[in-house]
């Protein structure tokens, strides 16, 4: 079958959002149930201000995605129409797109943890010290910058409908793994798929858990590339340099602010780039060490 170029209007008319509207009521119902049982069982999985911050961040993210939708579609179409490759829309193209996209999502997620610039687009998802279903709502308002990581999949020539549906399924999968109520699942599932146990490790700041379990839907990439860690000790959630606020704007932008402040003090362009694309974990550890030294000096005075 010959490839037919697609217009922006064609993509805008695709009805792939049905998945979201079906899932949304289910998601909010499960959040309400988890919150209720957490309260009844005194598990303290939820904190009022933290929950409100997560919900506000999630709602704004949805609104921003609606505003930027045509821009994202235009980016996708430019490269889809540019590539000579074409994969027809069949049942197996959905499977192939899922594997390719999940692989790319692993690497984009990993890079977002290894470089401060990309960490700034992701940190809001990790700066809560609570771990519950509403944590999945914490998606950065600048996360669309990461669309560049999806270029290899777009250039493979998947039909836009296939790509967008698979991408929505990947995003929605992330919801149910943000819970402490589901412990370990049967071994075959734990070996292949990202589970709540795997993702609790990813969200923790325990030393042995840092920079582990980046898998989106499949955990096999972590097993293949040496970033897998089993959940052994109880995770402690949050980031290595706590922000100590529930202000949603600070939660989203605090890392961008810190990064740009540091870059303005750079001695050279090379130094600025090293700051932007260096490890956020190393940076935060050095900052925390400075704070400890400063507090020690104050005590001695």
């Amino acid at each position: 079958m010959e490839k037919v170029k697609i217009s922006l209007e064609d993509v805008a008319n695709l009805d792939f959002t049905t998945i979201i509207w079906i899932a949304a009521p289910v998601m909010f119902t499960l959040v309400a149930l988890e919150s209720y049982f957490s309260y009844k069982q005194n598990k303290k999985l939820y904190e009022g201000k933290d929950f409100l911050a997560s919900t506000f961040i999630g709602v704004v993210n949805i609104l921003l995605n609606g505003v930027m939708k045509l821009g994202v579609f235009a980016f996708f179409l430019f490269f889809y129409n540019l590539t000579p490759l074409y994969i027809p829309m069949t049942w197996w193209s959905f499977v192939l797109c899922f594997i390719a996209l999940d692989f790319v999502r692993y690497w984009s997620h990993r890079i977002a943890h290894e470089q401060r610039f990309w960490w700034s687009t992701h940190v809001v998802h990790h700066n809560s010290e609570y771990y519950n279903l509403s944590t999945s709502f914490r998606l950065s308002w600048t996360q669309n910058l990461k669309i560049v990581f999806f270029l290899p999949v777009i250039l493979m020539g998947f039909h836009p409908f296939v790509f967008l549906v698979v991408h929505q399924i990947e995003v929605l999968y992330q919801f149910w793994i943000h819970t402490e109520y589901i412990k370990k699942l049967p071994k075959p599932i734990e070996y292949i798929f990202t589970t709540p146990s795997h993702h609790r490790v990813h969200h923790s700041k325990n030393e042995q858990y840092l920079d582990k379990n980046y898998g989106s839907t499949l955990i096999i990439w972590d097993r293949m590339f040496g970033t897998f860690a089993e959940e052994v000790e109880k995770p402690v959630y949050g980031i290595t340099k706590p922000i100590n606020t529930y202000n949603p704007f600070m939660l989203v932008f605090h890392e961008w602010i810190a990064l740009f402040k540091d870059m303005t003090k750079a001695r050279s362009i090379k130094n600025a780039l090293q700051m932007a694309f260096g490890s956020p974990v190393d940076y935060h550890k050095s900052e925390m060490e400075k704070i400890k030294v400063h507090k020690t000096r104050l005590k001695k005075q």
Side-chain angles (χ1 to χ4, degrees), residues 60-219:
V60 173
N61 181 64
I62 292 171
L63 295 174
L64 285 174
N65 282 340
V67 171
M68 295 186 287
K69 183 172 71 173
L70 288 181
V72 172
F73 286 172
F75 177 90
F76 183 102
L77 280 181
F78 175 81
F79 290 99
Y80 172 79
N81 289 328
L82 186 67
T83 179
L85 301 177
Y86 172 60
I87 298 176
M89 188 165 56
T90 63
W91 68 266
W92 56 262
S93 68
F94 283 89
V95 177
L96 182 60
C97 185
F98 163 73
I99 294 170
L101 186 58
D102 202 70
F103 177 74
V104 169
R105 282 174 63 87
Y106 164 83
W107 283 105
S108 68
H109 192 183
R110 180 170 174 173
I111 291 169
H113 279 257
E114 294 177 346
Q115 297 180 355
R116 281 186 72 193
F117 178 87
W118 296 109
W119 175 239
S120 300
T121 70
H122 183 58
V123 65
V124 67
H125 189 61
H126 285 269
N127 54 25
S128 173
E129 295 182 353
Y130 295 85
Y131 191 77
N132 52 60
L133 292 173
S134 74
T135 307
S136 65
F137 299 162
R138 288 190 178 225
L139 298 174
S140 175
W141 302 339
T142 60
Q143 68 170 341
N144 280 329
L145 289 171
K146 291 190 285 187
I147 193 174
V148 297
F149 291 111
F150 300 152
L151 268 177
V153 182
I154 296 170
L155 291 172
M156 288 174 70
F158 289 105
H159 190 280
F161 181 78
V162 174
F163 179 92
L164 294 169
V165 167
V166 171
H167 182 262
Q168 288 302 320
I169 291 172
E170 287 260 332
V171 171
L172 290 172
Y173 182 90
Q174 301 300 301
F175 172 74
W176 76 280
I177 60 178
H178 290 86
T179 185
E180 292 203 39
Y181 270 101
I182 300 174
K183 304 304 180 183
K184 295 287 183 77
L185 295 172
K187 286 186 177 180
I189 297 174
E190 290 281 337
Y191 191 83
I192 298 171
F193 296 97
T194 299
T195 65
S197 176
H198 298 147
H199 209 60
R200 285 193 291 270
V201 166
H202 178 70
H203 268 261
S204 82
K205 57 182 178 181
N206 304 47
E207 188 73 29
Q208 72 271 33
Y209 291 161
L210 292 176
D211 297 331
K212 299 295 182 182
N213 297 0
Y214 297 113
S216 185
T217 302
L218 302 176
I219 201 66

Side-chain angles (χ1 to χ4, degrees), residues 34-45:
E34 185 186 53
S35 176
Y36 171 76
F37 284 114
S38 171
Y39 174 75
K40 292 292 288 184
Q41 297 167 1
N42 198 32
K43 286 184 176 289
K44 299 180 181 178
L45 300 179

Side-chain angles (χ1 to χ4, degrees), residues 248-261:
F249 295 94
M250 284 302 297
L251 289 170
V252 171
F253 294 113
H254 70 93
E255 192 67 24
W256 283 116
I257 294 168
L259 175 58
F260 284 120
K261 278 184 178 178

Side-chain angles (χ1 to χ4, degrees), residues 27-36 46 51 133-134 137 175:
M27 292 166 68
F28 283 112
T29 300
L30 290 173
V31 167
L33 285 172
E34 185 186 53
S35 176
Y36 171 76
Y46 282 78
F51 170 72
L133 292 173
S134 74
F137 299 162
F175 172 74

